[in-house]
Amino acid sequence: MVHSIKDANKMSNLHQTSTSVLKEIYTKLFKIRTVEETIAKKYTEWEMRCPTHLSTGQEGIAAGVCQALLKDDYVLSTHRSHAHYLAKGGDLNKMIAEIYGKESGCSKGRGGSMHLIDKNVGFMGSTSIVGGTIPLAAGLALSSQLKKESKIACVFFGDAATEEGVFFETINFAAVKNLPILFICENNLYSVYSPLECRQPVNRKIFEMVNGIGIPSVAGNGNDALETYYKSKKFVDEIRNGDGPRFIELSTYRWREHCGPFFDNDIGYRSETEFESWKLRDPLLNFENQLIKIKKIPQEVIDTVKTEIKREVIEAFQFADESPFPDVSELYSNIYSGDTN
Amino acid sequence: MPRIINFAQAINEAFVQAMEIDKNVICYGLGVDDPKGVFGTTIGLQTKYGKERVFDIPASENAMTGIAIGASMAGIRPVMTHQRLDFSLLSLDQIINNAAKFHYMFGGQHKIPITIRMIVGRGWGQGPTHSQNLQALFAHIPGLKVVMPTTPYDAKGLLLSSIFDDNPVIFIEHRWLHNMEGDVPENDYRIEIGKSSQINEGNDITIVSMSYMTVEAIHAVEILKDHDINCDLIDLRSVKPIDWSSIHKSIKKTGRLLVLDTGVTEGSIAGEIIANVCENCWNDLKEQPHRICLPGTPTPTSYSLTKAYYKRSETIINTVSKMMNKDLDGYVLVDRKDLPHDVPGDWFKGPF
């Protein structure tokens, strides 16, 4: 049943979208959720010995944005990078092995959960310093512009990153140079435990501020992967057309604690009621229900996707488990490029 | 026949040759295209290579460093220039957390071929935040290379090597060297990063020096020679990595070590060199090593205070004399004529 214009738009989006795109978005959402929840379950075996920030609840943004990008487009990410890495097509085995500190990991165990990379799919890296990868994406966009390539750069960051000086410096330069870059702000309302209202003026919207700096910007519901996809797609087309940088602020919510496998609504920085209200906006479950409702993808196809991904995830953990650790003799390798030791 | 040009011209020539060799070399920084062209070092580059490759920037040191890193991940070779090293401190996050670590942290999959020029200085009241010699700060970070050329010849060869090195290189130029002249071949030549230069040979004492302090050392070494003290003078050229084998070889020969440093004493490159020599050449040392650095204070601005703050040939002569059990007085032996202590020569009129 359609209750509002918003719902009507949603249904029309669903109907006009090809089944292959819908299936791909669903696959991304389900994969991210399954990987994150498996990590959460296994984390207390204490064999993933690195700070790990789970994306559960925030899958919609990664899935929607990355669906709008091409394989060669650059993506950079944050400490909470699993969703972006997986949505861009990053190798799952190498990601899990990385979190376990194994030589077969995507960064050979040198980076851990916060430093993922898969250059084969344009995922150029994630780092742990808030705002740290924003200028790197602009640098990649500059390289694309200098070489007259059609690749664009896309960078994911949280609401707190927009409080960093480097964010303002970068969006200003991107506007000056008309760089081919898409800025994606995931506003999940908290920076660790610090709520947004302590950090930014209550009535000021991030995307409106960025508009004021000279970059066309919109806001959207990040828990709606399809809405996110269409908003991203429009901007990606404009950027690739040479129209310059674009910015999207997407609302979402982190289900689990800032860092680690647990829930932490009991410690007092946010309420159980708030958490429950966001859980109702589950980006995966709502998308799946809609797919079933419009009957564009048969239930058995959805079931096959689920079975397939569950198998991939089991295999990835096996791969990580069976992989060797880096040899201690390699400690000094790769300090410099061109090292012979 | 020697071809004499100054240090700033040598830098400019290295830029021109690098940009000719590789279209991926780009040059940016505050004022690189202004009429003064960063003390003459970037003059004419924008006319030759266009506004896409040579451009002025917003006052955004941190982002512009990150942008260099990002561009370098895709094969661009950016050279970023800071008219004062002090300004680069706004970009320590990008230099230390990203540039220095990306190769190691991603298992060798990223190369970060960026060069960051930083100009340091002394005198003319440049004071606490316009002349800091913070080479030790950068040398402390694994993954960075740090070079400090002294001669025009080294400036050109090291800048070319830095630009074509696949790692982040901090290229520190001393403002008092920009007008120094020397023989600089016209062709493309490279000086290996990590190799020192032997300026003078002698058996009595090893003097290890860097950047502008090597100029003061050259004067001191000449006067000391007149008094039968022969110095092995090693100009480091690179302070990270350091050419340990040349230093160790010299110590085996002389048994004495004096290190000169343009930075403050505590946590200095000089301290690192003395520690390393004590660890590796203890039995070769005839007596305790010494160092001449700046006092551990912020750099004062007043003419009267800088006189005591900066070290010159006189102090070098007096320290070496003491180490050799001689009784020489540098203040008598060095003829400064009427030149004030806070300028390198008549060419430097300040205020910049």
Side-chain angles (χ1 to χ4, degrees):
Chain A
M1 195 189 295
V2 173
H3 293 284
S4 65
I5 295 171
K6 219 172 166 187
D7 285 349
N9 285 341
K10 196 175 271 185
M11 293 318 280
S12 124
N13 272 348
L14 275 164
H15 285 294
Q16 72 179 43
T17 310
S18 73
T19 39
S20 66
V21 166
L22 291 174
K23 189 182 161 191
E24 282 171 29
I25 292 175
Y26 178 74
T27 306
K28 286 179 169 59
L29 291 169
F30 189 79
K31 187 169 188 174
I32 298 164
R33 174 68 57 88
T34 310
V35 169
E36 296 298 70
E37 292 304 289
T38 311
I39 293 172
K41 204 173 83 194
K42 294 174 86 71
Y43 199 83
T44 49
E45 294 168 6
W46 308 115
E47 285 178 15
M48 287 177 263
R49 304 181 81 83
C50 62
T52 302
H53 305 75
L54 298 174
S55 307
T56 310
Q58 304 194 175
E59 300 90 343
I61 298 174
V65 173
C66 290
Q67 187 65 36
L69 297 171
L70 298 179
K71 188 181 168 194
D72 281 349
D73 288 334
Y74 298 120
V75 164
L76 285 122
S77 168
T78 67
H79 54 283
R80 197 178 309 284
S81 59
H82 301 178
H84 312 135
Y85 174 94
L86 292 170
K88 191 69 177 42
D91 187 294
L92 175 60
N93 285 6
K94 289 181 179 178
M95 171 182 141
I96 301 300
E98 185 61 34
I99 301 173
Y100 277 88
K102 298 301 182 76
E103 181 70 22
S104 60
C106 59
S107 297
K108 299 191 178 201
R110 271 63 167 184
S113 160
M114 297 193 287
H115 303 106
L116 303 181
I117 181 172
D118 191 340
K119 284 169 82 175
N120 291 329
V121 295
F123 192 87
M124 300 300 277
S126 61
T127 72
S128 68
I129 308 298
V130 173
T133 50
I134 298 174
L136 305 188
L140 284 158
L142 178 68
S143 82
S144 205
Q145 191 179 66
L146 285 168
K147 296 175 176 182
K148 306 196 178 359
E149 295 172 339
S150 64
K151 281 190 249 190
I152 73 163
C154 169
V155 58
F156 292 92
F157 47 89
D159 42 289
T162 69
E163 293 147 24
E164 296 283 359
V166 77
F167 168 71
F168 290 93
E169 293 185 358
T170 306
I171 55 174
N172 176 62
F173 183 74
V176 168
K177 287 274 179 186
N178 214 41
L179 294 180
I181 180 168
L182 176 61
F183 296 98
I184 300 292
C185 175
E186 300 180 316
N187 185 347
N188 72 1
L189 306 174
Y190 294 90
S191 174
V192 189
Y193 306 129
S194 308
L196 192 61
E197 61 266 28
C198 293
R199 299 179 282 114
Q200 300 186 22
V202 176
N203 292 322
R204 193 192 64 197
K205 299 283 176 219
I206 296 171
F207 78 99
E208 285 173 356
M209 181 177 70
V210 177
N211 239 326
I213 278 175
I215 297 181
S217 306
V218 294
N221 174 8
N223 280 15
D224 183 336
L226 204 56
E227 177 188 329
T228 300
Y229 165 66
Y230 278 110
K231 286 195 162 134
S232 306
K233 182 91 175 61
K234 177 175 180 286
F235 273 1
V236 165
D237 291 344
E238 290 170 7
I239 295 165
R240 222 183 290 284
N241 190 42
D243 297 349
R246 295 289 185 270
F247 179 99
I248 313 179
E249 176 187 351
L250 293 156
S251 57
T252 189
Y253 199 75
R254 180 189 87 212
W255 284 13
R256 291 180 181 270
E257 61 188 333
H258 161 68
C259 180
F262 303 115
F263 292 97
D264 65 353
N265 303 317
D266 56 320
I267 68 171
Y269 73 100
R270 62 185 196 185
S271 67
E272 193 68 26
T273 324
E274 180 184 278
F275 171 74
E276 289 301 337
S277 77
W278 277 96
K279 249 192 126 174
L280 291 175
R281 294 178 240 177
D282 183 334
L284 172 66
L285 197 62
N286 290 341
F287 191 77
E288 188 177 321
N289 288 340
Q290 286 163 14
L291 285 187
I292 292 166
K293 202 148 95 187
I294 62 160
K295 298 193 172 87
K296 266 178 96 166
I297 300 178
Q299 181 69 49
E300 53 267 32
V301 173
I302 292 175
D303 292 342
T304 312
V305 167
K306 287 183 176 177
T307 313
E308 181 68 14
I309 285 172
K310 284 178 186 162
R311 188 184 51 77
E312 276 178 40
V313 173
I314 290 168
E315 283 173 5
F317 278 83
Q318 272 169 0
F319 172 80
D321 186 46
E322 288 160 11
S323 292
F325 281 107
D327 195 277
V328 74
S329 68
E330 293 285 308
L331 178 64
Y332 287 89
S333 298
N334 285 329
I335 298 171
Y336 295 112
S337 172
D339 272 358
T340 44
N341 60 337
Chain B
M1 207 169 92
R3 176 173 167 273
I4 305 298
I5 61 173
N6 71 26
F7 188 107
Q9 290 166 324
I11 295 283
N12 191 270
E13 193 165 282
F15 262 123
V16 169
Q17 287 178 357
M19 297 188 86
E20 285 293 333
I21 293 166
D22 186 348
K23 65 176 180 1
N24 288 316
V25 175
I26 62 172
C27 161
Y28 64 73
L30 279 168
V32 296
D33 62 347
D34 74 17
K36 293 194 172 176
V38 191
F39 314 119
T41 58
T42 57
I43 277 179
L45 296 179
Q46 196 180 59
T47 315
K48 276 198 186 85
Y49 301 105
K51 288 184 173 177
E52 278 207 330
R53 292 177 66 194
V54 181
F55 54 89
D56 204 350
I57 59 169
S60 303
E61 288 80 1
N62 201 28
M64 292 315 301
T65 305
I67 284 159
I69 297 165
S72 79
M73 285 156 63
I76 302 292
R77 294 186 177 274
V79 185
M80 187 173 174
T81 298
H82 296 281
Q83 305 223 11
R84 291 287 187 277
L85 176 143
D86 318 65
F87 307 156
S88 78
L89 301 181
L90 287 157
S91 63
L92 286 186
D93 164 47
Q94 287 296 327
I95 295 175
I96 297 174
N97 283 322
N98 286 347
K101 296 185 178 42
F102 260 47
H103 188 66
Y104 190 90
M105 186 164 86
F106 290 112
Q109 292 173 87
H110 276 309
K111 290 176 185 173
I112 308 297
I114 63 172
T115 303
I116 307 177
R117 294 174 61 215
M118 300 178 184
I119 292 161
V120 300
R122 72 186 230 164
W124 200 269
Q126 298 293 343
T129 61
H130 257 47
S131 62
Q132 295 174 81
N133 283 254
L134 296 177
Q135 56 271 19
L137 188 150
F138 295 104
H140 186 66
I141 308 302
L144 297 180
K145 296 185 179 183
V146 186
V147 301
M148 297 183 82
T150 305
T151 67
Y153 177 85
D154 291 345
K156 179 178 167 182
L158 272 176
L159 184 54
L160 279 162
S161 292
S162 302
I163 292 172
F164 292 109
D165 196 288
D166 280 337
N167 298 281
V169 182
I170 307 295
F171 191 94
I172 300 179
E173 298 166 33
H174 201 290
R175 180 73 189 99
W176 281 25
L177 295 173
H178 280 134
N179 267 40
M180 296 281 172
E181 294 185 327
D183 183 15
V184 178
E186 210 164 349
N187 63 311
D188 165 17
Y189 62 91
R190 313 288 168 93
I191 289 168
E192 193 183 336
I193 296 172
K195 285 278 175 284
S196 64
S197 155
Q198 180 103 26
I199 304 263
N200 195 67
E201 288 199 32
N203 294 325
D204 296 326
I205 180 169
T206 299
I207 302 178
V208 177
S209 180
M210 68 184 72
S211 187
Y212 177 73
M213 280 310 283
T214 301
V215 175
E216 294 290 343
I218 288 168
H219 293 304
V221 164
E222 278 169 19
I223 292 168
L224 288 163
K225 194 176 182 185
D226 294 340
H227 295 83
D228 295 327
I229 299 175
N230 296 302
C231 307
D232 236 22
L233 175 58
I234 294 172
D235 183 45
L236 283 171
R237 301 199 288 202
S238 299
V239 298
K240 177 76 169 278
I242 287 174
D243 184 358
W244 294 118
S245 66
S246 295
I247 294 172
H248 295 168
K249 208 171 124 197
S250 176
I251 297 296
K252 284 190 195 313
K253 180 172 72 175
T254 66
R256 294 184 183 88
L257 172 65
L258 169 64
V259 190
L260 314 180
D261 196 320
T262 60
V264 300
T265 313
E266 294 85 352
S268 60
I269 300 288
E272 184 61 28
I273 291 172
I274 289 173
N276 180 287
V277 165
C278 288
E279 285 170 341
N280 293 287
C281 311
W282 183 253
N283 293 327
D284 300 310
L285 288 171
K286 293 175 187 159
E287 64 176 284
Q288 72 182 80
H290 284 78
R291 57 179 157 167
I292 297 174
C293 313
L294 298 182
T297 73
T299 303
T301 303
S302 167
Y303 183 78
S304 73
L305 294 174
T306 53
K307 196 162 192 175
Y309 185 75
Y310 289 116
K311 308 300 174 200
R312 306 200 288 176
S313 313
E314 291 86 332
T315 313
I316 301 170
I317 292 167
N318 291 353
T319 308
V320 171
S321 169
K322 207 184 277 175
M323 289 172 76
M324 298 300 297
N325 291 317
K326 295 276 176 70
D327 197 19
L328 305 177
D329 184 352
Y331 293 97
V332 174
L333 295 170
V334 178
D335 177 14
R336 289 275 169 192
K337 302 203 171 62
D338 290 330
L339 195 67
H341 73 270
D342 62 345
V343 292
D346 291 337
W347 62 270
F348 192 90
K349 304 291 185 200
F352 197 49

